[in-house]
Amino acid sequence: MKLPAPPAIRTAAASSPPPMKTVTRRLKFESELDLSFGEHVAERAYGQKLLSCIQCGTCSATCPLSHYMDYTPRKIIAMTREGFKEEVLNSLTIWLCASCYSCTVQCPRQIHITDVMYALKREAIARRFYPPKHPIPVLARAFFDRVMHDGRNTESRLLITLYLRTNPFKMLKEAFLGLHLFRSGRLSLGREHIKGIKELRAMINGPGQRKEAVPL
Amino acid sequence: MPESNGHDAPRIGFYVCHCGHNIAGIVDVAAVAKFAGALPNVVVARDYKYMCSDPGQELITTDIRELKLNRIVVASCSPLLHEHTFRVATEKGGLNPFYFQMVNIRENVSWVSDDGKAATVKACDLVRAAVRRVAVHHPLETKRVRIHPDVLIVGGGISGIHAALTLANAGKKVTLVEREPTIGGHMAMFDKTFPTLDCAACILTPKMSAVKNHPNITLWSYSEVTEVSGYVGNYTVKVKRKPRYVSEELCVGCMECIDACVYKEGKTPDEFNQGLSKRKPVYIPFPQATPQVVLIDPETCIEFKSGRCKKTCVEKCDRDAIDFKQKEEIREIRVGAIILATGFKTFDAKRIPYYGYGKFPNVYTSIEVERLVNASGPTSGELILRDGRRPKTVGIIHCVGSRDKNTNRWCSRTCCMYSLKLAHLLKEHSHAEVYNFYIDIRAAGKAYEEFYDKLLEENIHFIRGRVAEVTDWCARPEEKDKLIIRVEDTMIGVVRRVPVDMVVLAVGMEPKEDAQDVRRMFNISCSTEGFFLERHPKLAPVDTFTDGIYIAGACQGPKDIPDSVAQAGAAAAQALSLIDAGEVELEPNTAYVVEEDCSGCKSCLAICPYTAISRDEAKQKAVINEALCKGCGTCVATCPSGAIRQHLFEDEQIFSEIQGLLEADEPILTGGQA
Amino acid sequence: MSYLYFPGCSLRSTGRAYEESILAVFRKLQIPLTELEDWNCCGATAYVSIDENRAFTLAARNLAIAERMKTNGGGDLMAPCSACYLVLEKTQHYMETDDGVKQEVTAALRRGGLDYRGTTKVRHPLDILVNDIGLDRISKAVVHPMKGMNVCCYYGCQVVRPFETFDHAAYPVTMDRLVTALGGKSIDWPMKARCCGGSLTGTIQEAGLRLNRALLKEATARGANIILTCCPLCQHNLECYQKRINRRFGESLQMPIAYFTQFLGLALGIPPRELGIQRLFVPLPETDGKRKEVPAHA
Amino acid sequence: MTTTAEQKNGWEPRIVAFFCNWCTYTAADLAGVSRLRHAPNARIIRVMCSGRLDPQFVLDAFARGADGVLVGGCHPGDCHYMEGNYKALRRVRLLERMLDAMGIHRDRFRLEWISAAEGEKVKTTINDMVARVRALGPLGLPGRFADWDREMEELAHAVAAHTEDVHA
């Protein structure tokens, strides 16, 4: 069984001769775009500055992960601004962002790119715009559930949930590491939970909170 | 001619300007006119497309004559723009020009509102206030003062030099004050100039010696302005002349003292060469320095430090020009106009640690490279790096400290072009592969685009992307001992690692460190970036808000040589037009004392910054010297018995304005927006 | 000076040695710590991917409790895990600068009977130790100077970015100054604050492994015999995946990765067991520079 | 923020602004030229210098129905007339105490240093001030004065009546 979403990273040197090219249409009609997408994302990312991007590429160059992305962060901003919603929300880029904030501190327009990525992740999760069993949304969801349940997160339980929901076989692969962590006292299976869980749930699930498109 | 003694019942003419769509697009001008027409004392209320046009002004003059108006109110743009225009129109109609009041409904209303209803209400309030105010206006006489014909120019870079020569050639006496030991400024440091590749020294030094030799120019180098007082046409300026410890009159610039200095080699980083070479305690900044006079740096000279030097320099000088006892001097001059051409400073590249300036020796700033490739520079024009290597690959990083909200948000305008120039020169000197890393190439001057084209054909690499970092982190064997430039090639959409031997940082232009002190001294303003603020960005680009003070060159904003020279010429022309007019009109907004109300308490005396107020001991009353009063009105607000008043800003007039603003019966109703 | 202590979930499992060493060091330096009452998970990075205001609420509950405890004599809120530190700081920041966030979060807190005025200060132990306690006091307390320790200090991302609260975003020096004060040698390297991939090692593992490989290789190339971290996730990534990186890319990396507090504890003469040294997979070099040969994990 | 009856009826704060000619008035012009749209509630009165500000202007504005008064001058050290703005500051500090004593909220009166280059600051200052005054609701001094006058009159009548009683 193969891990579904993330494709293996191929370096240039390792690539075999390219297969026969197929013809794909690259033309984009305005009617295929969502022109309100840029402002919508800017608003949700507290990043009204998103629109002031000058496409300098500092974000892509400083990003430690950009060379594994299908679109560099700069392209994601351009595409978001121009309404390429489908491509952006389907991209691997938003899931590869590790929230290291390098782009945010170096951006000459002070665009909070990391927050833009979060906004895109939220958008993608809410609209189910990701491959089934993609581990990151699942992890986010599992994390959310854990915290709603106990108020704290027990890493071991979180990981087990993650693997059960995505790829149970991977658990076996990770088992050795788990065993080591367990032996050195770095993995506890006991559940941590808080006393004020009732109040916490009241805060999180109160009437004022924004309703997500997908019930959590 | 109608009576204008101010005792008549007011007959007010009101005019509201459409200013095309500028005002009428938001404010309902017809409604404003109708509203004004119903106000007390208003005889006629009109709206017109452009009040400042001839027919617009004609309306006013005709109405004054035909309708026997004795007060005028115009609601249009800012009084800072057209108050004078309408005062003249009022006067043309036969009234005293100060029977006029202006309402600003463009800058203060239409341009800052998007709700037409609220804007119209606001305009009506302001109009009501002005109508009330003008009713209590008085006729006033303007004051005229003579203008001193001499001009002071501060800063001896290319702008100051050009302005000085222009004025001197027109027969005006000019004093040029330069802080450094030589004039020439940044331009003197450059190797070649874009896009023609003229040698900077070749075109600049003739102008420098022209300054030195011009009978109408007094050149005070190594000097600084310390104090400015007075007003348009009559400025008094104190200048500090720093000691060179070498007599300017005696020294002929033979430089034998430099050879004779007990220091065999220079020990101090040479300022002119950006620290890339060393100079001695006795030195001349560069061979063509103007004036051709050496100077001694007391910080490093042994005689100053210990008093026990052999003084070989003194021995050598057959003109006895060296004088260790020379003292700082303060000179005072009187001038009618002042041109500030104080220039810029380059961005401190250390502020962006990502580019490794100061950490990696082979990272240079552009100005350092100018010296490095210059034949009279530290390496005599050989491209030898700080570590002794000769570069095979060079990366030029654009926009360092420009277009970046983390440092300076403005475009420095010159870096694209000088980077192209340096790319050309570096390639010419070293046959290296040269990379330009740019965000946008801005080549908008005459023959600039053609220069860019030439560079492309020279096979210089142009990578569109802002560099994220310069590191010594090598990921491949071929990257060893190189500086790695990491950048996204945005045209291709791929992140690239470019290993180079030399990095050139195209640093931007910034206001001088002490721009704020200078502007305070000359009583002018700075824009938010810190450059000197012009009176109007389009129509008064070399004037300031202080009459008689003009600005030229990069102290006003980043500029290249052609633009600096053009602006310097413009500033000289403005100064000339002021001086040749011979005299100037002053706003009659001075303070005056109503003697019978004055209790002689002396509260006002200390408050006046211009010592315009004194006390008549015989009468025991305050007296204001109108010539010294500048019309701030602070004494008026201070006087406990209300005995001091201010022309044009009488208490009564301001209270009328307040009343007019607030006497609406109903609270302001707007669309509920804020 | 006393501090409120927010352990966060990691310090109770994978980061246990971090907690043990923090507590031991603070005890040794006689700086009182009080655990935040009934703290809850900060929300980490995952939560923000679902709903930002709920994530802020989650973090704000801790800030509100800290504020309450502060008025009763507690101090600044210390969060040792970089992710917790940033999430708490970010919540504080957006509550200060964004009215929308402030209103929603305040309303949510009220539903749970809490109120937050915005006075809590979030601090990292590195900041506290170096800037509050001071290197003078610390170096005076050193009993085992860390000679022979050639250290690459690794700050990771979220302790310095994006807010740069106490050090530069890409070239921080606080930990290096501490290492020097303890007698170790700090090595300048360009990856001090370059990302380790965070949770990518668990999700898109190939990318995560590559990031860690670059870090480990560069530190090795610059002659480091230990990397110090100040974040449980960085420590976990750099240490636990070494074997896998070696297998996958044909490397032979063997780099001990310790918490800076463990390093500090050793210098202060605290017994290794109290610092959780035994929980590390790659053994530390001896202070004379030699390293014991002990097999790393599978 | 509470919604008062006046707000429901479309009440809008009225702000009188005294701006100095050289810095703040010029900044307001710059805000205009830069099209920095802001709340339409401020009415600017131009004076040559903030030092010209007579405290009576402020009191008069409040008495005539202003809900807030804003004073704008050059930054300290930047006064076109050298130190008029310091004089303004001194006066304003005294005035503030007086306004406190009169029960006029601090948010209703404000002194800001705004240089000729700070068009943006004109916008944010006015917006912020309008928001604060809006939150406070109308000051309504003219109305209150009218009420007081009426009350005093009634009181006088009552006292008169009462006195008659006593002497009766």
Side-chain angles (χ1 to χ4, degrees):
Chain A
M1 184 166 172
K2 262 177 68 188
L3 182 65
I9 292 159
R10 285 194 321 181
T11 54
S15 59
S16 47
M20 195 67 146
K21 296 275 184 193
T22 50
V23 178
T24 36
R25 178 171 69 93
R26 289 290 172 133
L27 180 71
K28 199 79 181 175
F29 291 93
E30 280 305 274
S31 57
E32 294 166 355
L33 301 174
D34 176 355
L35 295 181
S36 63
F37 189 56
E39 283 190 344
H40 175 71
V41 172
E43 199 184 309
R44 294 207 61 187
Y46 317 99
Q48 307 81 352
K49 296 173 193 150
L50 163 69
L51 302 178
S52 73
C53 176
I54 53 169
Q55 290 291 303
C56 70
T58 310
C59 46
S60 313
T62 192
C63 177
L65 287 147
S66 58
H67 37 298
Y68 306 127
M69 293 172 173
D70 40 4
Y71 305 106
T72 59
R74 171 190 60 84
K75 276 195 181 171
I76 289 287
I77 304 278
M79 288 158 68
T80 303
R81 205 177 183 285
E82 291 304 311
F84 288 65
K85 186 164 89 186
E86 303 265 326
E87 289 84 344
V88 168
L89 296 182
N90 273 317
S91 74
L92 185 59
T93 301
I94 57 177
W95 305 114
L96 269 166
C97 170
S99 318
C100 83
Y101 293 90
S102 288
C103 48
T104 302
V105 295
Q106 265 193 279
C107 174
R109 283 298 190 262
Q110 295 179 340
I111 300 169
H112 294 193
I113 301 162
T114 311
D115 286 344
V116 172
M117 292 295 171
Y118 277 132
L120 293 171
K121 284 179 206 181
R122 285 197 293 273
E123 203 70 20
I125 289 177
R127 294 165 192 257
R128 291 206 181 281
F129 251 108
Y130 50 86
K133 295 192 173 184
H134 189 302
I136 293 176
V138 172
L139 178 72
R141 194 67 58 79
F143 191 95
F144 191 94
D145 293 345
R146 269 267 58 83
V147 174
M148 282 309 287
H149 203 266
D150 293 338
R152 287 185 196 169
N153 158 40
T154 314
E155 287 175 342
S156 53
R157 284 171 177 261
L158 179 70
L159 286 172
I160 291 168
T161 316
L162 171 68
Y163 294 132
L164 284 176
R165 288 193 196 166
T166 56
N167 182 352
F169 290 89
K170 206 171 161 226
M171 192 151 54
L172 294 176
K173 239 175 108 187
E174 301 288 341
F176 276 113
L177 175 55
L179 201 60
H180 258 270
L181 288 169
F182 190 65
R183 249 195 243 141
S184 60
R186 282 161 61 173
L187 201 61
S188 91
L189 291 166
R191 254 169 59 187
E192 290 259 354
H193 50 79
I194 65 168
K195 282 178 270 163
I197 188 66
K198 230 176 82 194
E199 289 78 9
L200 180 68
R201 285 185 196 147
M203 291 178 196
I204 302 298
N205 288 333
Q209 294 292 349
R210 183 187 287 144
K211 290 285 174 284
E212 290 302 316
V214 181
L216 289 161
Chain B
M1 190 170 149
E3 259 314 305
S4 56
N5 61 13
H7 301 299
D8 288 355
R11 292 177 60 78
I12 302 172
F14 173 82
Y15 306 86
V16 56
C17 178
H18 297 210
C19 195
H21 283 292
N22 283 308
I23 294 172
I26 287 279
V27 175
D28 183 347
V29 283
V32 172
K34 195 171 157 224
F35 168 85
L39 289 172
N41 298 328
V42 175
V43 176
V44 61
R46 302 184 194 274
D47 61 285
Y48 188 71
K49 257 196 162 47
Y50 289 103
M51 279 309 296
C52 60
S53 66
D54 281 349
Q57 297 182 47
E58 200 73 26
L59 265 183
I60 297 174
T61 48
T62 317
D63 280 355
I64 292 174
R65 289 200 196 96
E66 291 177 0
L67 301 172
K68 308 221 176 312
L69 301 179
N70 58 13
R71 303 283 194 287
I72 300 296
V73 172
V74 176
S76 58
C77 51
S78 168
L80 302 183
L81 278 177
H82 274 306
E83 190 174 51
H84 184 71
T85 313
F86 295 122
R87 276 183 184 167
V88 170
T90 307
E91 197 170 20
K92 256 195 201 155
L95 292 180
N96 181 288
F98 297 96
Y99 277 131
F100 167 74
Q101 177 67 13
M102 189 152 177
V103 190
N104 182 348
I105 59 165
R106 195 178 70 175
E107 284 83 349
N108 282 352
V109 182
S110 68
W111 277 353
V112 292
S113 313
D114 32 32
D115 174 352
K117 199 173 149 211
T120 306
V121 171
K122 184 173 176 182
C124 289
D125 281 348
L126 293 168
V127 165
R128 196 193 304 107
V131 165
R132 273 211 169 269
R133 189 189 207 274
V134 82
V136 292
H137 273 204
H138 307 290
L140 294 167
E141 289 299 318
T142 46
K143 225 174 20 174
R144 304 184 78 82
V145 293
R146 291 203 53 75
I147 290 181
H148 194 286
D150 295 356
V151 182
L152 166 72
I153 296 176
V154 186
I158 182 59
S159 307
I161 289 173
H162 186 78
L165 289 172
T166 307
L167 284 163
N169 289 339
K172 304 299 164 202
K173 297 277 184 212
V174 175
T175 304
L176 176 60
V177 174
E178 165 60 49
R179 167 183 290 170
E180 300 298 326
T182 173
I183 56 171
H186 280 95
M187 186 178 169
M189 296 173 188
F190 301 157
D191 182 51
K192 301 273 166 47
T193 55
F194 61 79
T196 49
L197 296 174
D198 297 284
C199 136
C202 312
I203 55 175
L204 179 64
T205 46
K207 293 192 81 141
M208 286 163 64
S209 35
V211 166
K212 179 70 197 151
N213 299 325
H214 205 294
N216 286 341
I217 299 179
T218 308
L219 170 59
W220 284 347
S221 64
Y222 213 41
S223 304
E224 278 174 46
V225 174
T226 57
E227 205 183 305
V228 181
S229 56
Y231 51 95
V232 55
N234 296 277
Y235 287 106
T236 305
V237 181
K238 282 192 181 148
V239 180
K240 175 173 83 186
R241 305 213 58 202
K242 296 179 276 188
R244 287 171 180 267
Y245 305 107
V246 172
S247 159
E248 228 175 282
E249 288 71 37
L250 298 172
C251 177
V252 290
C254 68
M255 299 188 238
E256 294 209 2
C257 52
I258 302 177
D259 287 336
C261 177
V262 293
Y263 278 107
K264 286 288 157 270
E265 295 293 327
K267 288 231 159 92
T268 314
D270 185 325
E271 295 85 354
F272 190 78
N273 276 337
Q274 302 296 308
L276 293 173
S277 64
K278 302 279 170 73
R279 63 159 171 82
K280 295 180 179 181
V282 55
Y283 70 105
I284 190 160
F286 63 105
Q288 301 101 320
T290 305
Q292 275 276 309
V293 177
V294 298
L295 72 159
I296 295 172
D297 169 13
E299 296 296 316
T300 51
C301 172
I302 295 178
E303 179 60 17
F304 280 95
K305 300 194 100 162
S306 68
R308 284 203 298 268
C309 182
K310 283 192 285 180
K311 287 181 272 195
T312 39
C313 54
V314 178
E315 271 169 37
K316 195 77 186 175
C317 183
D318 51 14
R319 292 180 59 85
D320 287 331
I322 295 176
D323 173 11
F324 289 111
K325 297 217 167 57
Q326 209 175 55
K327 290 270 169 313
E328 171 181 305
E329 270 179 62
I330 302 286
R331 301 277 192 88
E332 195 176 285
I333 52 170
R334 295 203 59 198
V335 294
I338 298 173
I339 296 177
L340 295 177
T342 51
F344 67 99
K345 94 175 183 359
T346 50
F347 175 77
D348 174 9
K350 284 197 181 123
R351 283 174 61 196
I352 305 184
Y354 301 97
Y355 293 160
Y357 181 75
K359 181 173 174 186
F360 304 122
N362 292 347
V363 178
Y364 287 81
T365 65
S366 47
I367 191 101
E368 288 169 346
V369 178
E370 295 278 0
R371 296 311 303 150
L372 203 60
V373 296
N374 189 282
S376 62
T379 54
S380 306
E382 293 277 319
L383 198 55
I384 303 167
L385 300 179
R386 286 196 180 95
D387 66 358
R389 279 196 281 175
R390 284 166 193 269
K392 292 192 190 68
T393 44
V394 181
I396 302 177
I397 301 178
H398 290 223
C399 299
V400 178
S402 300
R403 302 187 68 191
D404 177 2
K405 286 186 178 167
N406 301 307
T407 54
N408 298 327
R409 55 181 300 182
W410 58 87
C411 165
S412 292
R413 287 184 74 213
T414 55
C415 326
C416 280
M417 286 309 293
Y418 79 58
S419 296
L420 296 185
K421 174 193 75 180
L422 290 176
H424 169 85
L425 296 174
L426 288 166
K427 184 146 188 148
E428 192 180 66
H429 278 63
S430 66
H431 305 291
E433 286 292 319
V434 181
Y435 292 83
N436 273 279
F437 301 95
Y438 68 97
I439 307 176
D440 297 295
I441 292 284
R442 294 182 171 172
K446 190 173 177 182
Y448 290 8
E449 180 67 19
E450 292 86 330
F451 189 70
Y452 177 29
D453 196 30
K454 172 182 152 80
L455 267 283
L456 287 165
E457 284 178 12
E458 283 177 13
N459 202 12
I460 306 269
H461 300 266
F462 284 91
I463 297 179
R464 189 195 174 281
R466 187 172 168 277
V467 171
E469 59 181 23
V470 176
T471 63
D472 58 351
W473 163 37
C474 76
R476 290 270 180 95
E478 71 271 18
E479 292 181 346
K480 202 163 177 306
D481 295 327
K482 298 266 184 182
L483 293 168
I484 313 302
I485 291 174
R486 198 180 159 106
V487 65
E488 181 185 16
D489 189 327
T490 61
M491 290 302 181
I492 298 166
V494 165
V495 176
R496 290 174 68 173
R497 292 172 59 94
V498 183
V500 297
D501 299 310
M502 177 190 194
V503 171
V504 181
L505 304 179
V507 286
M509 292 162 84
E510 281 186 343
K512 269 245 186 287
E513 314 71 343
D514 61 348
Q516 294 291 340
D517 302 332
V518 172
R519 77 165 172 91
R520 280 196 190 109
M521 187 153 53
F522 289 94
N523 206 358
I524 61 169
S525 304
C526 279
S527 55
T528 23
E529 302 84 48
F531 292 108
F532 295 155
L533 187 66
E534 64 281 358
R535 192 175 193 119
H536 192 278
K538 291 162 193 82
L539 302 179
V542 298
D543 297 63
T544 65
F545 286 103
T546 301
D547 290 333
I549 298 194
Y550 307 97
I551 48 180
C555 63
Q556 182 258 350
K559 240 171 239 81
D560 58 13
I561 296 167
D563 286 0
S564 297
V565 170
Q567 212 186 19
Q574 288 297 93
L576 212 51
S577 80
L578 173 77
I579 290 167
D580 280 354
E583 52 177 28
V584 67
E585 255 182 27
L586 295 183
E587 187 81 350
N589 56 7
T590 47
Y592 62 98
V593 179
V594 178
E595 252 186 32
E596 52 272 32
D597 292 342
C598 175
S599 63
C601 73
K602 299 196 276 193
S603 307
C604 51
L605 265 62
I607 224 101
C608 179
Y610 306 103
T611 56
I613 314 180
S614 58
R615 188 161 181 264
D616 182 331
E617 289 302 332
K619 287 194 197 160
Q620 302 251 313
K621 306 274 180 196
V623 183
I624 293 177
N625 179 342
E626 216 191 342
L628 293 175
C629 173
K630 302 235 168 119
C632 65
T634 306
C635 57
V636 186
T638 303
C639 179
S641 41
I644 308 186
R645 307 212 183 143
Q646 184 184 11
H647 295 304
L648 269 180
F649 292 91
E650 302 277 1
D651 279 358
E652 189 192 10
Q653 293 167 351
I654 294 173
F655 282 127
S656 306
E657 227 176 322
I658 298 171
Q659 186 186 354
L661 283 183
L662 293 166
E663 69 189 343
D665 298 333
E666 75 289 355
I668 308 167
L669 289 169
T670 70
Q673 62 96 243
Chain C
M1 217 173 300
S2 70
Y3 298 91
L4 292 171
Y5 169 49
F6 178 86
C9 308
S10 288
L11 271 72
R12 288 291 149 85
S13 55
T14 46
R16 235 174 107 179
Y18 196 15
E19 172 160 63
E20 288 165 339
S21 57
I22 287 171
L23 297 180
V25 162
F26 275 67
R27 215 180 300 123
K28 184 83 180 177
L29 293 170
Q30 296 176 326
I31 314 161
L33 287 182
T34 317
E35 186 169 322
L36 189 70
E37 279 164 17
D38 202 35
W39 56 270
N40 60 273
C41 169
C42 69
T45 50
Y47 215 109
V48 189
S49 310
I50 302 280
D51 182 323
E52 73 278 35
N53 280 337
R54 281 171 173 166
F56 289 142
T57 304
L58 206 56
R61 179 176 176 270
N62 296 310
L63 296 173
I65 296 174
E67 188 173 75
R68 197 178 61 202
M69 290 179 74
K70 198 173 177 178
T71 37
N72 298 327
D76 290 349
L77 180 61
M78 179 174 91
C81 165
S82 294
C84 301
Y85 175 72
L86 173 61
V87 168
L88 293 170
E89 250 199 324
K90 189 167 166 177
T91 303
Q92 174 81 355
H93 176 81
Y94 277 123
M95 282 188 75
E96 267 171 30
T97 55
D98 191 300
D99 280 343
V101 172
K102 188 178 173 177
Q103 275 170 24
E104 280 212 36
V105 173
T106 308
L109 287 176
R110 293 226 171 102
R111 283 197 298 276
L114 280 172
D115 204 22
Y116 183 52
R117 296 190 313 275
T119 62
T120 299
K121 245 186 119 180
V122 185
R123 306 284 303 276
H124 192 272
L126 182 58
D127 176 21
I128 289 174
L129 286 166
V130 174
N131 298 322
D132 286 8
I133 311 305
L135 293 178
D136 270 1
R137 190 169 145 198
I138 289 174
S139 53
K140 275 185 201 129
V142 170
V143 291
H144 293 310
M146 303 304 271
K147 288 221 166 53
M149 289 284 195
N150 299 329
V151 186
C152 272
C153 294
Y154 180 64
Y155 299 76
C157 317
Q158 302 192 336
V159 68
V160 281
R161 283 192 301 264
F163 295 116
E164 300 192 270
T165 334
F166 64 94
D167 214 334
H168 189 268
Y171 302 97
V173 293
T174 311
M175 204 195 303
D176 295 78
R177 287 172 54 215
L178 178 66
V179 165
T180 314
L182 300 177
K185 184 182 159 217
S186 97
I187 297 172
D188 188 25
W189 67 317
M191 337 273 268
K192 280 180 173 183
R194 201 181 164 79
C195 184
C196 71
S199 56
L200 280 181
T201 43
T203 51
I204 306 178
Q205 196 170 62
E206 179 79 6
L209 292 185
R210 280 171 183 273
L211 291 183
N212 285 289
R213 175 175 74 140
L215 294 172
L216 291 163
K217 271 184 78 171
E218 188 63 15
T220 310
R222 293 193 185 240
N225 56 13
I226 184 170
I227 294 179
L228 293 185
T229 73
C230 56
C231 166
L233 191 53
C234 297
Q235 197 278 342
H236 178 83
N237 278 339
L238 283 169
E239 188 188 50
C240 300
Y241 293 99
Q242 278 188 35
K243 194 87 181 181
R244 197 167 298 178
I245 290 168
N246 288 344
R247 237 184 359 237
R248 169 74 182 78
F249 303 107
E251 306 279 357
S252 51
L253 298 161
Q254 171 85 347
M255 180 63 72
I257 315 288
Y259 293 104
F260 79 100
T261 40
Q262 293 181 304
F263 189 84
L264 171 57
L266 288 174
L268 297 178
I270 301 170
R273 247 203 127 69
E274 288 179 31
L275 298 166
I277 302 286
Q278 76 284 2
R279 301 191 197 281
L280 299 179
F281 292 167
V282 185
L284 301 186
E286 295 295 323
T287 40
D288 61 9
K290 272 183 251 159
R291 184 195 283 167
K292 273 188 237 153
E293 220 37 68
V294 177
H297 75 91
Chain D
M1 198 167 99
T2 53
T3 311
T4 63
E6 287 88 345
Q7 276 164 323
K8 282 197 186 120
N9 293 336
W11 169 78
E12 280 288 323
R14 298 207 277 187
I15 313 285
V16 174
F18 296 93
F19 282 179
C20 85
N21 183 63
W22 302 98
C23 289
T24 316
Y25 193 84
T26 312
D29 272 5
L30 177 64
V33 173
S34 319
R35 310 297 199 274
L36 300 175
R37 312 214 189 280
H38 53 258
N41 309 57
R43 310 283 184 263
I44 300 171
I45 293 178
R46 182 168 67 112
V47 288
M48 292 311 285
C49 177
S50 54
R52 175 69 181 91
L53 184 83
D54 190 322
Q56 293 190 68
F57 297 164
V58 178
L59 296 173
D60 191 59
F62 279 127
R64 288 187 184 277
D67 300 299
V69 175
L70 171 64
V71 180
C74 308
H75 284 270
D78 290 359
C79 177
H80 190 81
Y81 301 104
M82 289 149 89
E83 48 199 27
N85 52 356
Y86 289 116
K87 306 290 180 337
L89 179 64
R90 248 165 41 183
R91 243 172 253 147
V92 159
R93 290 286 168 265
L94 280 172
L95 181 59
E96 277 172 348
R97 284 201 228 163
M98 201 166 144
L99 294 175
D100 283 350
M102 292 166 69
I104 294 178
H105 197 280
R106 279 274 170 119
D107 281 353
R108 293 191 186 276
F109 177 63
R110 182 154 164 181
L111 171 67
E112 280 289 339
W113 308 133
I114 303 177
S115 85
E118 294 175 318
E120 183 69 32
K121 194 171 174 190
V122 171
K123 172 184 147 179
T124 50
T125 303
I126 289 178
N127 278 347
D128 183 64
M129 176 128 188
V130 170
R132 281 164 192 265
V133 172
R134 190 187 299 283
L136 290 171
L139 179 60
L141 276 191
R144 281 202 242 170
F145 286 153
D147 285 348
W148 289 336
D149 284 351
R150 205 179 51 244
E151 278 168 29
M152 287 304 288
E153 212 169 300
E154 280 167 11
L155 198 65
H157 279 303
V159 169
H162 192 65
T163 328
E164 279 167 24
D165 273 359
V166 172
H167 292 283

